Amino acid sequence: MVDSVPQTSIPKSTVVDSPTRRSRWRPARADVLAIGVYLALGVLVCLNHWGDIPNRVSAHLPTDHSWFEWLFAHGAYSVWHLENPLFSTRQNAPVGVNMMANTSLLGVTLPLAPLTMLVGPQVTYVLYLGAALAATAGTSYWVLSRHLVRSRAAAFVGGAFLGFAPGVVHHANGQPNFASNFLLPLIVLRVLRLGEPGRWRRNGILLGLLVAYQIFINEEMLLLTALACLVVVATYAVLRPVAARRQAGTFAAALGTGGGLALLLTAYPIWFQFNGPQSYRGLQGGVFHSWGEDLKAFVTFPRDTLAGDAAVEQTIGVTEQNSWFGWPLVILAVVALLLLVRRSLVARILAVLTVVFTVASLGPAIRFDGVETDINGPWAYVSEDLPLVEMMMPTRLSLIVAAAIGILLAVAWDALSGTGRPPVPAQRSGRPPRFPRRWRRPVGYAAITLALLPLIPRPLPVEAVAPPPHFITAGGWRPYVPEGRTLVPVPIPSNVHGLSTLRWSALTQHEFPVPGGYFIGPNEQGEGIFGADNRPTTRLIYSTMGKNAAPDITDVERRQAIEDLRYWRASVVVLGAHPREAVLRDLMTSLLGTAQRVDDVWLWDVRPLVD
């Protein structure tokens, strides 16, 4: 997502001047106030988690929440054991997981490893989630206030929307990587300064460092940012061809420097992502390619806001709420663009950005109110086999539209404030104002405020989750799991089942490896699939859970269970408290013999069977 559009490619007379020494204290006070409000909003969004962090997860995406707790534990484990963080054998044992080929957030989990070791992955997750939202708003505010608008209030409004836009807050329900956009405003700033005379080397190096680091936070958001920057630069070149030609050489040199540096720093991790162990090519069935935005979603209030209602998901459907701006903001954005587009280069660029990515986000078929129409969308003409395209989700392109609206809000507020020159010189039309000047400011401020008030986020919904067994947290498993062997939890973790058992690994900070897991890995054809290829015993466990009845077990199934345990290098099978505990115990007893009751779990020591 592009979080700001600094106008350093526009003549210097249009760029905001630095404050004088005498006036510097007032902007500094405004900066502190803005950051304080952003932090308060970050705390508000995570408020429901804080009441009982150990026993609460996201009610919307509980499996993703647990996956990211596992990732924070992975960062701590990699640092403590000095292991390659690009790969892990602590999940999907014995073959492991390619962390670069999954959303791994290494740029965050590795630096925060000391905190995770100190307070655990659950607390680190909640602390980071709120901080990431506030940090994104903060860097957006900084770029807006220093490089686009003069009014600190305008920058505050734009920064608040960019950090807490409906789509960003929605992803905060278990996907903190999409709330971690704090580098993107700085990346956009660097891109738009690449044409700056005499600084091509400095600007290129800074861009390369930022891009390299963003790769280890969220590659998808970096790709969206690159697409947005491409449209912005192309639009500027069309609207200001003379200036664009003058800056082209410097821009190209700086871009080459930045791209070369980023490639140098990330060459091995990127190679590992596509060619390392457990890498894959595309996703089976192209599940992402068909997921476009619903037209009605643009004018609908998102669930996790003051005006939102979870019932709306029963009509439009349970989707990623990447747009969901509400009708007042959509009307405001259209009016603001119509009023500003003739006099502001920034507004013209934002208009192009909004139209292009609104259309692009619609996917291969137009949907309205949850119903797919017969009208083709733009992605119907794009092959899903193209590199990168095969992994893209069209609906997420509307996050760029959200960024454009955030910048537009800042520009509109700044134009109303009348603080010095407008960001881009006005074109005089000679027409008298049609609206009384004294009413413009209060009416404009009121319109922006009323459009944004319904979108103030509410605390994210949470649900209770059972804590791991005392046998796990107290280390009772240690005598049973020697080095090089695995603990097999029942049910075996997957993208559908075993949320609680995956957390056993996360909350013990990966002290023992487990089979299965929540990740994307290759099938036999090399295509990406969610989770491990289920072995016969895994399928038998899931089938028993679904029917809530233990089947009659044959010798064939018993022999297969032993083979599966040997494949997993298992030493012990553990069943804790579970809604299907009784039937799962009957199943495992039929397969493996009588269980021991150890502490608060049922345990099968399978070493005599597999050795």
Side-chain angles (χ1 to χ4, degrees), residues 38-49:
Y38 296 155
L39 288 171
L41 281 173
V43 172
L44 172 68
V45 169
C46 301
L47 194 61
N48 287 333
H49 289 284

Side-chain angles (χ1 to χ4, degrees), residues 350-536:
L350 292 176
V352 173
L353 202 63
T354 300
V355 171
V356 167
F357 287 102
T358 295
V359 173
S361 71
L362 299 180
I366 304 300
R367 290 190 302 127
F368 182 80
D369 200 14
V371 178
E372 186 173 296
T373 70
D374 295 330
I375 304 173
N376 284 341
W379 286 70
Y381 308 100
V382 178
S383 171
E384 63 184 55
D385 296 325
L386 292 175
L388 296 180
V389 170
E390 62 185 359
M391 295 294 292
M392 288 185 66
M393 191 179 294
T395 177
R396 291 179 180 170
L397 292 170
S398 58
L399 292 171
I400 300 175
V401 181
I405 290 177
I407 300 165
L408 177 64
L409 290 170
V411 171
W413 190 288
D414 196 54
L416 290 168
S417 68
T419 52
R421 300 185 304 273
V424 178
Q427 296 179 357
R428 297 187 179 183
S429 63
R431 297 180 181 178
R434 298 182 179 181
F435 196 77
R437 186 178 298 274
R438 67 179 182 275
W439 290 106
R440 290 183 193 175
R441 188 175 298 178
V443 170
Y445 288 163
I448 294 173
T449 302
L450 291 174
L452 293 180
L453 278 178
L455 300 179
I456 293 176
R458 294 184 296 185
L460 299 176
V462 298
E463 66 182 25
V465 63
H470 182 263
F471 173 81
I472 296 294
T473 57
W477 55 271
R478 293 183 188 280
Y480 300 94
V481 188
E483 187 69 26
R485 303 297 286 269
T486 63
L487 183 152
V488 179
V490 178
I492 293 166
S494 75
N495 287 48
V496 179
H497 303 284
L499 163 63
S500 59
T501 52
L502 177 63
R503 298 180 79 240
W504 295 5
S505 173
L507 302 188
T508 57
Q509 301 203 31
H510 298 190
E511 291 191 84
F512 52 80
V514 296
Y518 185 70
F519 61 95
I520 301 177
N523 60 12
E524 294 181 355
Q525 291 74 40
E527 297 175 306
I529 60 172
F530 292 96
D533 269 329
N534 289 330
R535 298 187 66 83

Side-chain angles (χ1 to χ4, degrees), residues 200-210 254 257-258 261:
W200 65 270
R201 186 180 291 107
R202 172 179 177 273
N203 288 330
I205 290 173
L206 288 174
L207 176 63
L209 293 173
L210 289 168
T257 300
L261 178 59

